[in-house]
Amino acid sequence: MHIRDKYIDRQNYKDSDQISNEEQYKRANEFFSQFPKIDLQAEKVRCPKCNLLHKVYCLKCGELLVNKELIPKVELPVNLLILHHNKEKHQKSSAIPAKFLSDQVEVKDFPSEFEFDEYTYVLYPHQNAKYIKELSQEELQNIKKFVAIDCTWHQTGAILEKISNKYPQQKFIKLEDYQTYFWRYQHHSLKCLATIEAIYYCYQEYSKAMNINQNYNNLLFFYKYTFQQITDSVQQEVGNSNIYQKIEQKKQRILQSKQDAKKEKLFKKL
């Protein structure tokens, strides 16, 4: 059994029907079309800290590389800690860019030390997690910090193990059912949200429970921008009818590579 499976609420988690990358891309395109087009006038520039070329930001160094006036600010009712697994590349994170959108967002790389108190709630479908709507008004009002786990599905186990060992009575919250609009189909389930999507829905649900009238669409600002960049690339391939077939073939190669790696690992144990 994977260490992650000790903690997840299996009753609430069910695989959804698989869909093609083309269908998922169309779903994402429909979702993101509700947001205005973003123009950051971005070109690749060197990060002043690591001297590597990046576009928009360098997430490893935490440096914004475009005009700050082009970036919206989001006021959050509760502070946010993003606990990012250090084996996952910073540039792949959908959540870390949120630090440029709100001063209330903190990012820590696991396994660095972290401190929680009784007013900290971890966002994860833990077997002991409660829905936000199940919390009393007193519990809601006392929340001082949300913690979002930012890593691959398989890496969550190590983070959950450390949290549970350090804080046996840790409080967890989970979300209502949503489907991801990440532009490539995730082979686990459509219910596996990108971290920034989970954060977005978390604040939506919290504000609804607290009767706070606030719009959190700008939390998805960089998520939308990334999709916009991908869309521009796809449009350049309009004349290529095999574009989705290529995406699907790449996905299958990645899955096959992972399966081969697992078989090789098992073989070495014999």
Side-chain angles (χ1 to χ4, degrees):
M1 180 178 72
H2 193 282
I3 189 172
R4 174 203 64 233
D5 296 334
K6 290 167 55 179
Y7 304 104
I8 193 169
D9 176 7
R10 283 291 176 184
Q11 289 297 110
N12 185 58
Y13 176 81
K14 295 179 181 178
D15 285 349
S16 57
D17 294 335
Q18 291 192 8
I19 63 174
S20 68
N21 274 305
E22 183 174 2
E23 290 174 303
Q24 182 62 3
Y25 176 82
K26 287 178 179 177
R27 289 183 67 252
N29 193 43
E30 183 178 347
F31 174 75
F32 287 112
S33 64
Q34 67 182 298
F35 302 105
K37 188 173 178 63
I38 299 169
D39 182 10
L40 294 182
Q41 304 167 12
E43 296 181 357
K44 281 193 173 183
V45 296
R46 292 198 178 276
C47 170
K49 290 185 177 179
C50 67
N51 204 38
L52 294 177
L53 284 171
H54 291 287
K55 196 173 183 179
V56 183
Y57 43 59
C58 173
L59 293 186
K60 186 172 183 179
C61 299
E63 287 292 307
L64 187 64
L65 304 176
V66 294
N67 186 349
K68 292 180 180 179
E69 294 182 2
L70 298 174
I71 310 302
K73 283 294 182 180
V74 183
E75 186 70 25
L76 299 176
V78 175
N79 290 340
L80 173 67
L81 169 62
I82 297 171
L83 204 52
H84 175 80
H85 200 295
N86 67 351
K87 290 187 178 179
E88 183 72 2
K89 292 182 179 179
H90 289 76
Q91 292 297 121
K92 291 176 64 178
S93 171
S94 66
I96 294 178
K99 68 183 293 182
F100 303 124
L101 300 169
S102 176
D103 296 332
Q104 295 156 276
V105 176
E106 180 186 10
V107 178
K108 281 184 177 289
D109 273 349
F110 176 85
S112 62
E113 286 302 313
F114 51 85
E115 298 297 329
F116 298 167
D117 58 27
E118 60 183 308
Y119 307 117
T120 299
Y121 283 73
V122 178
L123 176 60
Y124 189 80
H126 190 278
Q127 57 190 8
N128 297 329
K130 288 185 177 181
Y131 290 108
I132 291 176
K133 65 182 181 182
E134 294 177 335
L135 300 178
S136 68
Q137 279 299 308
E138 182 180 359
E139 288 175 312
L140 289 166
Q141 290 170 358
N142 286 334
I143 296 176
K144 303 301 181 193
K145 183 187 295 181
F146 288 129
V147 178
I149 296 175
D150 185 38
C151 58
T152 65
W153 190 242
H154 290 287
Q155 291 167 335
T156 56
I159 297 178
L160 291 170
E161 187 84 343
K162 183 166 183 177
I163 291 174
S164 296
N165 289 339
K166 191 172 183 179
Y167 302 106
Q169 303 303 316
Q170 179 57 49
K171 299 170 184 175
F172 290 83
I173 52 170
K174 57 187 176 183
L175 301 173
E176 301 290 335
D177 280 348
Y178 301 99
Q179 290 191 337
T180 183
Y181 288 100
F182 188 74
W183 36 92
R184 293 193 310 275
Y185 173 71
Q186 302 299 289
H187 67 276
H188 288 294
S189 168
L190 283 175
K191 290 184 180 181
C192 291
L193 304 179
T195 309
I196 193 61
E197 289 177 312
I199 291 168
Y200 168 73
Y201 289 124
C202 175
Y203 281 104
Q204 277 198 328
E205 289 189 16
Y206 174 82
S207 292
K208 182 179 179 181
M210 290 288 288
N211 293 316
I212 299 172
N213 184 18
Q214 191 166 342
N215 188 317
Y216 299 104
N217 285 354
N218 280 335
L219 278 174
L220 301 175
F221 180 83
F222 288 112
Y223 195 50
K224 151 71 177 176
Y225 180 74
T226 303
F227 178 74
Q228 186 176 295
Q229 297 297 103
I230 291 169
T231 299
D232 291 344
S233 298
V234 169
Q235 288 176 346
Q236 292 175 10
E237 297 278 355
V238 167
N240 182 358
S241 59
N242 294 322
I243 181 170
Y244 294 110
Q245 183 179 347
K246 288 182 178 180
I247 294 173
E248 187 65 29
Q249 288 172 347
K250 183 177 179 181
K251 171 190 163 186
Q252 292 302 324
R253 286 198 300 271
I254 292 171
L255 290 177
Q256 186 60 52
S257 176
K258 288 181 178 179
Q259 290 172 359
D260 291 343
K262 283 183 179 179
K263 288 178 182 177
E264 184 177 351
K265 190 174 181 180
L266 289 172
F267 179 76
K268 288 180 178 179
K269 287 182 178 181
L270 295 177

